[in-house]
């Protein structure tokens, strides 16, 4: 008798599960997303308590509709209806991505003409990590691709060297533009990944030297602080990096980039109190709308949003 009851209950459970699966498929096209979500929830609970759970969820849903929805249901609706609104930012980030996946695919293409074209375009384009992609060409099994990659690398290195010679010839400590031009060439060479490790160390030292000259001789300028932040980060000199970022914020409190760089510094070291302190300092200077999207969630969660400039 007990085994018969047990089998009967199992049969009811299996029949309910099959019915729930069929209903979900049938309702998929007929219900709007929020209502379909309620159906999914009801049938999911029903797997633990067949039929009774569906009735309970349906009753709660109807009561919520009649007397006002709960925050949970409203949050669910917001989640269902969420859409990415910043398409322009996504498009821009994709077009400036340093990973350059289309170029990666082109260099590894089976068509020699495509490989040749993708390599030769490096001559006339300013692309970070050029050396990494040209190295792919050097490792190709196609001899012509290897030839074009090697020739292009030599051309680019020669171009950088010629730029350096010209910049040094025009170099004038009384003219800040000439210092910036030379520092920028060193920076581009480092980012290109075309030079050897020995040359890389030498160019980093030269870049840092020019930046410190500019910082000493001329009034504060954002590009100096941003480049110094980058090179101190690369050289793993956190004390100098922190001092530079504090100076940047001090001299340019109106630049949100300075504050965000300081937040990044503290965040990476899990110095949460300092992160919140910088956010608090920003509240009278900026609105939440000024904060880039990639930081927005952090600011909304960790700061008092009611005291921000746009909320006053």
């Amino acid at each position: 008798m007990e085994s018969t009851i047990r089998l009967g209950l199992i049969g009811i459970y299996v029949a309910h599960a099959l019915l729930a699966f069929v209903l979900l498929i049938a309702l998929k096209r007929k219900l709007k997303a929020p209502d379909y979500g309620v159906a999914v929830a009801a049938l999911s609970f029903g797997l633990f308590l067949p039929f009774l759970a569906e009735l309970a969820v349906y009753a709660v849903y109807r009561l919520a509709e009649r007397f006002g929805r709960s925050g949970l249901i409203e949050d669910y609706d917001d989640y269902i209806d969420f859409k990415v609104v910043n398409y322009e930012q996504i498009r821009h980030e994709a077009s400036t991505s340093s990973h350059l996946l289309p170029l990666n695919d082109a260099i590894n293409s089976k068509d020699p003409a495509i490989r040749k074209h993708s390599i030769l375009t490096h001559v006339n384009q300013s692309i970070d990590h050029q050396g990494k992609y040209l190295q792919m060409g050097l490792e190709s099994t196609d001899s012509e691709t290897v030839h074009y990659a090697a020739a292009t690398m030599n051309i680019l290195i020669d171009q950088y060297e010629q730029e350096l010679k010209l910049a040094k010839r025009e170099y004038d400590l009384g003219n800040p533009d000439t210092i910036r031009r030379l520092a920028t060439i060193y920076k581009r060479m480092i980012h290109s990944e075309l030079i050897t490790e020995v040359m890389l160390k030498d160019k980093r030292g030269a870049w840092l030297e020019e930046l410190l000259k500019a910082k000493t001789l001329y009034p504060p300028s954002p590009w100096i602080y941003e480049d110094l932040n980058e090179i101190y980060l690369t050289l793993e000199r956190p004390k100098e990096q922190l001092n530079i970022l504090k100076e940047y914020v001090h001299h340019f409190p109106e630049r949100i980039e300075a504050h965000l760089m300081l937040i990044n510094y503290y965040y990476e070291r899990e110095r949460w109190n300092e992160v919140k302190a910088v956010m608090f300092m920003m509240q009278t200077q900026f609105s939440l709308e000024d904060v880039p999207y990639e930081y927005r969630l952090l600011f909304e969660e960790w700061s008092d949003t009611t005291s921000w400039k746009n909320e006053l």
Side-chain angles (χ1 to χ4, degrees):
M1 182 67 178
E2 290 183 2
S3 60
T4 303
I5 295 174
R6 190 180 299 112
L7 288 174
L9 292 174
I10 293 174
I12 292 173
Y13 183 85
V14 172
H16 173 273
L18 292 174
L19 178 62
F21 180 72
V22 172
L23 279 173
L24 285 177
I25 295 175
L27 294 173
K28 177 70 173 178
R29 296 181 179 178
K30 295 183 178 180
L31 295 180
K32 294 181 179 179
D35 294 328
Y36 182 69
V38 174
V40 171
L43 294 173
S44 298
F45 285 123
L47 293 177
F48 301 97
L49 194 62
F51 303 111
L52 294 178
E54 286 93 330
L55 291 174
V57 171
Y58 180 77
V60 170
Y61 181 69
R62 288 303 178 191
L63 287 172
E65 274 193 331
R66 183 172 180 179
F67 297 106
R69 294 186 173 191
S70 68
L72 178 62
I73 293 177
E74 290 176 355
D75 289 343
Y76 176 78
D77 284 347
D78 290 341
Y79 171 75
I80 288 295
D81 295 333
F82 175 75
K83 293 180 178 62
V84 176
V85 295
N86 193 25
Y87 294 113
E88 178 61 23
Q89 180 186 359
I90 294 173
R91 183 198 65 76
H92 177 71
E93 289 177 354
S95 67
T96 59
S97 171
S98 63
H99 297 293
L100 295 172
L101 292 179
L103 179 59
N104 190 346
D105 295 338
I107 289 178
N108 291 296
S109 171
K110 294 181 180 180
D111 187 341
I114 294 177
R115 293 198 299 269
K116 173 184 174 183
H117 175 74
S118 66
I119 290 171
L120 291 179
T121 54
H122 279 72
V123 176
N124 298 315
Q125 293 184 10
S126 177
I127 301 174
D128 282 354
H129 314 294
Q130 291 168 312
K132 179 176 71 174
Y133 293 103
L134 290 173
Q135 188 62 38
M136 293 179 186
L138 291 178
E139 295 170 358
S140 172
T141 56
D142 177 63
S143 59
E144 187 176 13
T145 300
V146 174
H147 166 73
Y148 282 117
T152 303
M153 289 184 78
N154 290 333
I155 291 171
L156 289 172
I157 292 172
D158 183 64
Q159 284 182 349
Y160 281 123
E161 293 295 343
Q162 293 301 321
E163 283 187 75
L164 273 179
K165 288 180 182 178
L166 180 61
K168 289 178 179 179
R169 193 179 306 134
E170 297 175 348
Y171 191 81
D172 178 8
L173 286 177
N175 185 350
D177 289 338
T178 63
I179 295 183
R180 183 172 186 177
R181 186 180 306 123
L182 184 58
T184 301
I185 295 172
Y186 286 130
K187 180 179 179 179
R188 287 174 50 228
M189 289 186 75
I190 292 167
H191 287 181
S192 73
E193 297 186 13
L194 286 165
I195 56 181
T196 64
E197 285 296 323
V198 175
M199 291 178 64
L200 189 61
K201 183 178 180 180
D202 177 66
K203 301 307 179 190
R204 280 178 181 154
W207 182 26
L208 177 58
E209 181 182 349
E210 297 307 321
L211 292 173
L212 292 177
K213 283 181 185 177
K215 182 177 181 297
T216 302
L217 296 174
Y218 306 111
S221 180
W223 75 269
I224 297 175
Y225 289 110
E226 291 176 6
D227 281 11
L228 282 171
N229 173 62
E230 178 181 336
I231 196 165
Y232 283 141
L233 175 63
T234 303
L235 296 175
E236 297 182 352
R237 292 163 61 173
K239 184 177 180 180
E240 290 94 331
Q241 184 188 0
L242 178 58
N243 290 336
I244 282 298
L245 291 175
K246 287 181 176 180
E247 282 189 44
Y248 191 11
V249 171
H250 172 74
H251 288 295
F252 298 95
E254 75 284 358
R255 287 184 63 85
I256 196 169
E257 295 88 349
H259 298 272
L260 295 178
M261 286 181 178
L262 188 55
I263 284 176
N264 281 338
Y265 177 91
Y266 288 134
Y267 190 92
E268 290 171 359
R269 289 159 179 79
E270 300 183 1
R271 294 169 60 172
W272 313 128
N273 290 334
E274 285 90 341
V275 170
K276 293 179 180 180
V278 178
M279 288 181 178
F280 179 79
M281 181 171 55
M282 294 173 65
Q283 290 179 357
T284 57
Q285 185 74 25
F286 307 99
S287 70
L288 276 174
E289 293 179 354
D290 296 326
V291 178
Y293 280 89
E294 58 267 29
Y295 292 89
R296 188 72 59 83
L297 180 60
L298 177 66
F299 276 68
E300 290 175 349
E301 291 293 330
W302 280 22
S303 64
D304 179 11
T305 56
T306 60
S307 64
W308 279 81
K309 182 180 174 184
N310 65 327
E311 299 288 346
L312 293 176

